[in-house]
mmCIF file of all heavy atoms in Angstrom:
data_model
loop_
_atom_site.group_PDB
_atom_site.id
_atom_site.type_symbol
_atom_site.label_atom_id
_atom_site.label_comp_id
_atom_site.label_asym_id
_atom_site.label_seq_id
_atom_site.Cartn_x
_atom_site.Cartn_y
_atom_site.Cartn_z
ATOM 1 N N ALA A 17 -6.784 9.313 -1.063
ATOM 2 C CA ALA A 17 -7.768 9.086 -2.136
ATOM 3 C C ALA A 17 -8.039 10.358 -2.906
ATOM 4 O O ALA A 17 -8.272 10.352 -4.120
ATOM 5 C CB ALA A 17 -9.068 8.524 -1.519
ATOM 6 N N SER A 18 -8.066 11.496 -2.202
ATOM 7 C CA SER A 18 -8.336 12.769 -2.889
ATOM 8 C C SER A 18 -7.257 13.086 -3.908
ATOM 9 O O SER A 18 -7.510 13.582 -4.991
ATOM 10 C CB SER A 18 -8.446 13.897 -1.860
ATOM 11 O OG SER A 18 -7.223 14.004 -1.130
ATOM 12 N N ALA A 19 -6.006 12.762 -3.519
ATOM 13 C CA ALA A 19 -4.917 13.029 -4.469
ATOM 14 C C ALA A 19 -5.019 12.155 -5.680
ATOM 15 O O ALA A 19 -4.791 12.581 -6.810
ATOM 16 C CB ALA A 19 -3.557 12.829 -3.780
ATOM 17 N N ALA A 20 -5.348 10.856 -5.411
ATOM 18 C CA ALA A 20 -5.500 9.949 -6.563
ATOM 19 C C ALA A 20 -6.629 10.399 -7.457
ATOM 20 O O ALA A 20 -6.555 10.373 -8.683
ATOM 21 C CB ALA A 20 -5.728 8.511 -6.058
ATOM 22 N N GLY A 21 -7.741 10.793 -6.837
ATOM 23 C CA GLY A 21 -8.873 11.252 -7.652
ATOM 24 C C GLY A 21 -8.515 12.497 -8.438
ATOM 25 O O GLY A 21 -8.895 12.676 -9.581
ATOM 26 N N GLY A 22 -7.758 13.437 -7.791
ATOM 27 C CA GLY A 22 -7.361 14.644 -8.512
ATOM 28 C C GLY A 22 -6.486 14.329 -9.685
ATOM 29 O O GLY A 22 -6.585 14.916 -10.742
ATOM 30 N N SER A 23 -5.571 13.381 -9.490
ATOM 31 C CA SER A 23 -4.707 12.998 -10.609
ATOM 32 C C SER A 23 -5.503 12.412 -11.744
ATOM 33 O O SER A 23 -5.271 12.692 -12.916
ATOM 34 C CB SER A 23 -3.638 12.022 -10.115
ATOM 35 O OG SER A 23 -2.833 11.611 -11.193
ATOM 36 N N SER A 24 -6.471 11.537 -11.384
ATOM 37 C CA SER A 24 -7.315 10.928 -12.438
ATOM 38 C C SER A 24 -8.113 11.995 -13.158
ATOM 39 O O SER A 24 -8.301 11.973 -14.379
ATOM 40 C CB SER A 24 -8.243 9.879 -11.815
ATOM 41 O OG SER A 24 -7.473 8.864 -11.199
ATOM 42 N N GLY A 25 -8.655 12.973 -12.397
ATOM 43 C CA GLY A 25 -9.439 14.050 -13.046
ATOM 44 C C GLY A 25 -8.587 14.868 -13.983
ATOM 45 O O GLY A 25 -9.022 15.281 -15.058
ATOM 46 N N ALA A 26 -7.339 15.132 -13.554
ATOM 47 C CA ALA A 26 -6.452 15.912 -14.426
ATOM 48 C C ALA A 26 -6.172 15.172 -15.712
ATOM 49 O O ALA A 26 -6.152 15.743 -16.800
ATOM 50 C CB ALA A 26 -5.135 16.208 -13.697
ATOM 51 N N GLN A 27 -5.934 13.833 -15.567
ATOM 52 C CA GLN A 27 -5.679 13.046 -16.776
ATOM 53 C C GLN A 27 -6.910 13.048 -17.687
ATOM 54 O O GLN A 27 -6.822 13.125 -18.903
ATOM 55 C CB GLN A 27 -5.311 11.615 -16.386
ATOM 56 C CG GLN A 27 -3.945 11.523 -15.678
ATOM 57 C CD GLN A 27 -3.641 10.100 -15.250
ATOM 58 O OE1 GLN A 27 -4.474 9.212 -15.444
ATOM 59 N NE2 GLN A 27 -2.455 9.886 -14.663
ATOM 60 N N GLY A 28 -8.118 12.959 -17.069
ATOM 61 C CA GLY A 28 -9.339 12.960 -17.900
ATOM 62 C C GLY A 28 -9.522 14.289 -18.619
ATOM 63 O O GLY A 28 -9.930 14.349 -19.777
ATOM 64 N N ALA A 29 -9.209 15.410 -17.908
ATOM 65 C CA ALA A 29 -9.352 16.722 -18.551
ATOM 66 C C ALA A 29 -8.367 16.865 -19.696
ATOM 67 O O ALA A 29 -8.682 17.397 -20.765
ATOM 68 C CB ALA A 29 -9.137 17.821 -17.519
ATOM 69 N N ALA A 30 -7.124 16.374 -19.438
ATOM 70 C CA ALA A 30 -6.126 16.443 -20.507
ATOM 71 C C ALA A 30 -6.550 15.636 -21.710
ATOM 72 O O ALA A 30 -6.370 16.039 -22.859
ATOM 73 C CB ALA A 30 -4.770 15.955 -19.971
ATOM 74 N N ALA A 31 -7.102 14.438 -21.447
ATOM 75 C CA ALA A 31 -7.563 13.596 -22.560
ATOM 76 C C ALA A 31 -8.699 14.271 -23.304
ATOM 77 O O ALA A 31 -8.812 14.209 -24.525
ATOM 78 C CB ALA A 31 -8.002 12.217 -22.016
ATOM 79 N N GLY A 32 -9.594 14.956 -22.572
ATOM 80 C CA GLY A 32 -10.709 15.646 -23.229
ATOM 81 C C GLY A 32 -10.218 16.769 -24.128
ATOM 82 O O GLY A 32 -10.713 16.965 -25.235
ATOM 83 N N ARG A 33 -9.181 17.531 -23.638
ATOM 84 C CA ARG A 33 -8.655 18.602 -24.484
ATOM 85 C C ARG A 33 -7.978 18.048 -25.717
ATOM 86 O O ARG A 33 -8.048 18.604 -26.802
ATOM 87 C CB ARG A 33 -7.663 19.448 -23.668
ATOM 88 C CG ARG A 33 -8.355 20.352 -22.616
ATOM 89 C CD ARG A 33 -7.383 21.409 -22.083
ATOM 90 N NE ARG A 33 -6.222 20.789 -21.400
ATOM 91 C CZ ARG A 33 -6.225 20.483 -20.084
ATOM 92 N NH1 ARG A 33 -7.300 20.729 -19.335
ATOM 93 N NH2 ARG A 33 -5.157 19.949 -19.519
ATOM 94 N N ALA A 34 -7.301 16.906 -25.513
ATOM 95 C CA ALA A 34 -6.649 16.291 -26.680
ATOM 96 C C ALA A 34 -7.683 15.852 -27.715
ATOM 97 O O ALA A 34 -7.504 16.007 -28.919
ATOM 98 C CB ALA A 34 -5.799 15.097 -26.236
ATOM 99 N N ASP A 35 -8.790 15.270 -27.209
ATOM 100 C CA ASP A 35 -9.846 14.844 -28.143
ATOM 101 C C ASP A 35 -10.431 16.041 -28.864
ATOM 102 O O ASP A 35 -10.750 15.991 -30.057
ATOM 103 C CB ASP A 35 -10.940 14.082 -27.389
ATOM 104 C CG ASP A 35 -10.435 12.759 -26.829
ATOM 105 O OD1 ASP A 35 -9.423 12.243 -27.388
ATOM 106 O OD2 ASP A 35 -11.055 12.255 -25.898
ATOM 107 N N ALA A 36 -10.602 17.144 -28.126
ATOM 108 C CA ALA A 36 -11.171 18.340 -28.746
ATOM 109 C C ALA A 36 -10.255 18.874 -29.829
ATOM 110 O O ALA A 36 -10.688 19.262 -30.902
ATOM 111 C CB ALA A 36 -11.411 19.410 -27.675
ATOM 112 N N ARG A 37 -8.906 18.904 -29.512
ATOM 113 C CA ARG A 37 -7.954 19.373 -30.531
ATOM 114 C C ARG A 37 -7.941 18.447 -31.737
ATOM 115 O O ARG A 37 -7.843 18.871 -32.873
ATOM 116 C CB ARG A 37 -6.548 19.469 -29.912
ATOM 117 C CG ARG A 37 -6.386 20.673 -28.966
ATOM 118 C CD ARG A 37 -4.907 20.919 -28.682
ATOM 119 N NE ARG A 37 -4.268 19.744 -28.041
ATOM 120 C CZ ARG A 37 -4.217 19.573 -26.710
ATOM 121 N NH1 ARG A 37 -4.767 20.470 -25.902
ATOM 122 N NH2 ARG A 37 -3.613 18.521 -26.192
ATOM 123 N N GLY A 38 -8.066 17.139 -31.456
ATOM 124 C CA GLY A 38 -8.097 16.192 -32.581
ATOM 125 C C GLY A 38 -9.317 16.408 -33.450
ATOM 126 O O GLY A 38 -9.259 16.341 -34.669
ATOM 127 N N ALA A 39 -10.466 16.656 -32.816
ATOM 128 C CA ALA A 39 -11.686 16.885 -33.608
ATOM 129 C C ALA A 39 -11.588 18.159 -34.425
ATOM 130 O O ALA A 39 -12.000 18.226 -35.585
ATOM 131 C CB ALA A 39 -12.903 16.949 -32.668
#
Side-chain angles (χ1 to χ4, degrees):
S18 60
S23 178
S24 300
Q27 292 177 357
R33 287 194 298 271
D35 294 337
R37 286 195 300 270

